[in-house]
Amino acid sequence: MKQENDINSEMGKLVEASWNPFDPDFLINPYPQYELLRDQDPVHRTAFGNLVVTRFDDVFEVLRNPNTSVDRDNTAEGMDRPEHIKKLQDASMDRPPSILMLDPPEHTRLRKLVQRTFTPRGIEKMRHLTTEIVEDLLDQLAEKREIDLIKDFSFVVPFVVIHSMLGLPDADMLDVREWSQTLVQTLEPNISPEQVDAAIWGGTQLNEYLTEALAWKRNQPGDDLLSDLIAVEEGGEGLTEPELLSMISLLFVAGHETTVNLIGNGTHSLLNSPEQFNLVLNDPSVDSTIADELLRFDSPVQNSGRLLLEDMELSGVHVEAGELVLTALGSANRDPRFWGDSAHVLDVKRQDAPRHVSFGSGVHYCLGAALAKMEGEIAVTKLIRRFPEISITSEPTYNSRIILRGREEFPVDLGSPK
Ligand code: HEM
């Protein structure tokens, strides 16, 4: 199978800018295509009928424009949707939408309620626990040597962290992972009818688990996020039980399905860049910048999108209200117009890396950004410093997702622990 570097070296052969998520090369390494799109067709009409913008300034402007919408009623309106997509949308209509799919003022009201419980102090409290979780896991892995970096490490860290932070009851990690993986597939534009059925099933399972967890937690409140959110609901401040469930579900799924790819993509980038790997190994000053640079270099969330409610000028192109515009976060993060000539270079000491748009921008800016960065920093630096001989056993496979980009299986040999 081709790898990222093969596709980079084929770059000169690409001539026509296109955005084709069915192209296996695009899934392995979308960056050469992004470059063509930015240079030749920065406001590109995709085969799905929507537009995609790939330059940093356009992505930033669309995300921050208040005259845009993410409301599922607006975004579905007037679209010619295949039957299986209608089925999926109908199945989700009996639950309140998550804040990701709500516009102000509804979005503002709900976000404020959860933001109050999701404070920087609360996140900082998680640093100690995250360090413990990572160190325990590395102790266990030291006995194995050959592991799948995704299944055995990158997934486990954020899963256990968000599980503990919410204060959820014990559950079979692999079952819950399966439900949540089927569910996040619904974010992808190329979802198949079979995946729709699996997502409806996964969503139902997850909903049952979280509904039971909620009832259990009401009887045993603790020092955790779920108890805090229940207190907000019981305080009568406008969070209904279905809204509470939808919020927990988003926090739980967003809490691990993205960070798994920060750790997996980030470690892969470092293993392909020995000089940067050695910096991480020997220079603790990188700890403050590493997570942002790994997020910038290979963004775990590659696209977001907005429906325009007013006309916009994007890279000199007039775009009319009513267009659905995908914002290619991963491309914006590599745009030399913004980052200069080093846009494609991994530099774990890059000072302006926090300006990346991997967490979006504007009112929907990721609520878990500080948590994700803390987890990414601890997981990647501790892994490398504990196992300085870590090496790739065979090249990873990719998860075939164009929104949540990540490695599916990533076999590594940890070597001897330090
Ligand atoms: C590396 C990890 C992560 C990445 C790359 C990421 C990325 C994003 C992005 C791009 C958005 C905005 C989507 C849009 O504009 O449409 C977002 C929103 C959100 N994220 Fe994250 N996320 C990560 C981790 C987390 C974690 C750990 C949590 C929670 C525990 C979380 C919770 C949320 C929530 C609740 C929203 C919705 C915010 C809103 O609509 O106001 N995320 N995330």
Side-chain angles (χ1 to χ4, degrees), residues 95 179 202-214 245:
R95 292 185 210 140
W179 306 334
T204 309
Q205 303 295 314
L206 192 64
N207 212 43
E208 277 171 18
Y209 166 63
L210 293 176
T211 306
E212 278 169 29
L214 210 53
L245 205 56

Side-chain angles (χ1 to χ4, degrees), residues 63 99-100 107 111 118 162 250-251 254-255 258-259 262 295 300-301 304-306 329 357-360 363-369 371-372 375:
L63 291 177
I99 53 171
L100 263 177
H107 170 266
R111 176 149 174 148
F118 221 80
I162 192 66
L250 173 64
L251 290 175
T258 47
T259 316
L262 162 58
L295 282 157
V301 178
S304 167
R306 298 289 183 269
L329 310 175
V357 283
S358 295
F359 292 124
V363 293
H364 291 279
Y365 182 79
C366 177
L367 194 68
L371 175 66
E375 292 179 80

Side-chain angles (χ1 to χ4, degrees), residues 190-217:
N190 51 347
I191 187 169
S192 68
E194 294 73 32
Q195 286 170 322
V196 163
D197 290 338
I200 293 172
W201 168 81
T204 309
Q205 303 295 314
L206 192 64
N207 212 43
E208 277 171 18
Y209 166 63
L210 293 176
T211 306
E212 278 169 29
L214 210 53
W216 172 79
K217 186 57 72 176

Side-chain angles (χ1 to χ4, degrees), residues 273-302:
S273 176
E275 181 211 334
Q276 295 294 305
F277 182 94
N278 281 332
L279 261 182
V280 179
L281 201 52
N282 301 313
D283 183 353
S285 77
V286 305
D287 293 12
S288 59
T289 44
I290 185 171
D292 279 309
E293 176 62 353
L294 296 179
L295 282 157
R296 183 196 73 82
F297 189 73
D298 198 6
S299 186
V301 178
Q302 288 275 311

Side-chain angles (χ1 to χ4, degrees), residues 381-408:
T381 57
K382 287 204 176 293
L383 171 75
I384 287 178
R385 291 174 191 153
R386 183 73 178 280
F387 296 103
E389 295 169 8
I390 181 174
S391 59
I392 301 174
T393 324
S394 59
E395 285 298 334
T397 56
Y398 287 76
N399 66 8
S400 304
R401 296 192 193 147
I402 57 160
I403 308 282
L404 301 185
R405 168 174 168 77
R407 280 68 179 159
E408 180 79 22

